[in-house]
Amino acid sequence: MKRVGFFGGTFDPVHLGHLVPAVRAFETFRFDALVFVPAAQPPHKLGEPMTPFSHRFAMLALATQSYDHFLVSPIEVERTGPTYTVDTLRLLQGRFAAEQAFFLMGSDSFSQIGTWSRWEELVDLAHLVVLHRDTVWGEELLAKVPASLRPRICTVEPFLGVADPEGASHSIYLLAHEPFPVSATHLRERLRLGLTIHELVPPEVHRYIVKNRLYHQGSEPDDAG
Ligand code: ATP
């Protein structure tokens, strides 16, 4: 069975808090491919300033280039208007011939899944892999998700491997890796303040940010190092 992971987000910019848990998921679920899917216009971030898609896509391409089975899909920019994850995922499953699709999201996103458009369809379309964010986990997380989802939820330890799920319904896996406490908001704020982000993004992404003077809003760019 071809297992494909899909990881959606704004990635503004991509950082190690995305990459480290993504690698843990890749190793645990033994995906044949892991596809990063930058959002063109996420419905929950409408009206918020966002770096152009081309830059976010380019940074993802740089961040994933040294991983053999990591890909970046431009699918969201090919469509117009707000895009909903459930529709994108359906298209991607066909495009990548995923016999088993896994959708990755951080635990903060999962805690809000009940607010996502057609979330019931989404959880019937793909298995979910919930990445550990230190802001919400454990009992607090379970209390926030729709009660109907709880019987499908199980916790998995990184690296141990996960057998093909039994039964027709899709599973929700909480991946208990060490949290990597960084967010893109935090990075953008540090750059605005002229602080370094060297240790939080791959070096190629750091160089790209400096070269293109992203996120600085008039302050002196951080040293390209
Ligand atoms: P922002 O701070 O701009 O909201 P973000 O850092 O949360 O951005 P997104 O691009 O919005 O990043 O996130 C894409 C997905 O990655 C989301 O499901 C989010 O929960 C997850 N994610 C982001 N950062 C981490 C992290 N440090 N650990 C685990 N998951 C993460």
Side-chain angles (χ1 to χ4, degrees):
M1 292 274 250
K2 186 176 178 189
R3 287 184 174 189
V4 184
F6 298 101
F7 192 10
T10 39
F11 301 109
D12 191 12
V14 59
H15 52 69
L16 296 187
H18 298 123
L19 285 171
V20 174
V23 173
R24 298 290 165 270
F26 183 83
E27 292 165 343
T28 305
F29 291 89
R30 314 217 165 114
F31 297 139
D32 294 287
L34 178 54
V35 185
F36 290 74
V37 191
Q41 207 181 355
H44 64 289
K45 290 191 176 174
L46 281 181
E48 288 180 30
M50 202 184 301
T51 306
F53 183 88
S54 55
H55 282 314
R56 292 184 288 115
F57 186 93
M59 288 188 280
L60 268 172
L62 289 169
T64 54
Q65 67 187 358
S66 59
Y67 297 89
D68 281 346
H69 301 281
F70 285 15
L71 304 164
V72 188
S73 169
I75 194 169
E76 287 243 327
V77 85
E78 295 165 6
R79 298 153 66 209
T80 50
T83 48
Y84 293 101
T85 303
V86 61
D87 299 320
T88 305
L89 193 55
R90 206 180 288 284
L91 288 171
L92 284 168
Q93 269 182 304
R95 211 171 267 196
F96 287 90
E99 290 163 285
Q100 284 192 332
F102 294 75
F103 187 72
L104 277 59
M105 61 169 76
S107 51
D108 58 320
S109 303
F110 181 56
S111 73
Q112 294 170 9
I113 193 153
T115 66
W116 287 31
S117 174
R118 289 150 51 214
W119 61 268
E120 294 96 333
E121 245 179 88
L122 179 71
V123 296
D124 280 341
L125 201 58
H127 303 289
L128 299 188
V129 177
V130 179
L131 309 173
H132 186 176
R133 280 194 103 164
D134 60 347
T135 45
V136 58
W137 193 249
E139 289 302 319
E140 190 195 345
L141 176 61
L142 295 181
K144 289 190 168 167
V145 300
S148 62
L149 291 183
R150 288 189 206 133
R152 295 191 190 191
I153 298 177
C154 60
T155 300
V156 293
E157 295 297 324
F159 310 115
L160 291 185
V162 176
D164 284 341
E166 288 170 16
S169 68
H170 287 80
S171 305
I172 299 172
Y173 300 99
L174 306 187
L175 185 57
H177 61 84
E178 283 294 310
F180 198 101
V182 56
S183 69
T185 304
H186 175 66
L187 293 191
R188 293 193 300 270
E189 191 53 28
R190 287 187 63 86
L191 284 168
R192 250 173 241 135
L193 295 170
L195 299 172
T196 185
I197 60 159
H198 275 98
E199 77 287 16
L200 302 174
V201 294
E204 300 84 354
V205 172
H206 185 256
R207 277 194 289 273
Y208 187 95
I209 290 172
V210 173
K211 184 167 169 235
N212 291 282
R213 298 186 61 89
L214 302 180
Y215 309 114
H216 290 86
Q217 299 201 343
S219 62
E220 283 303 303
D222 189 16
D223 170 32

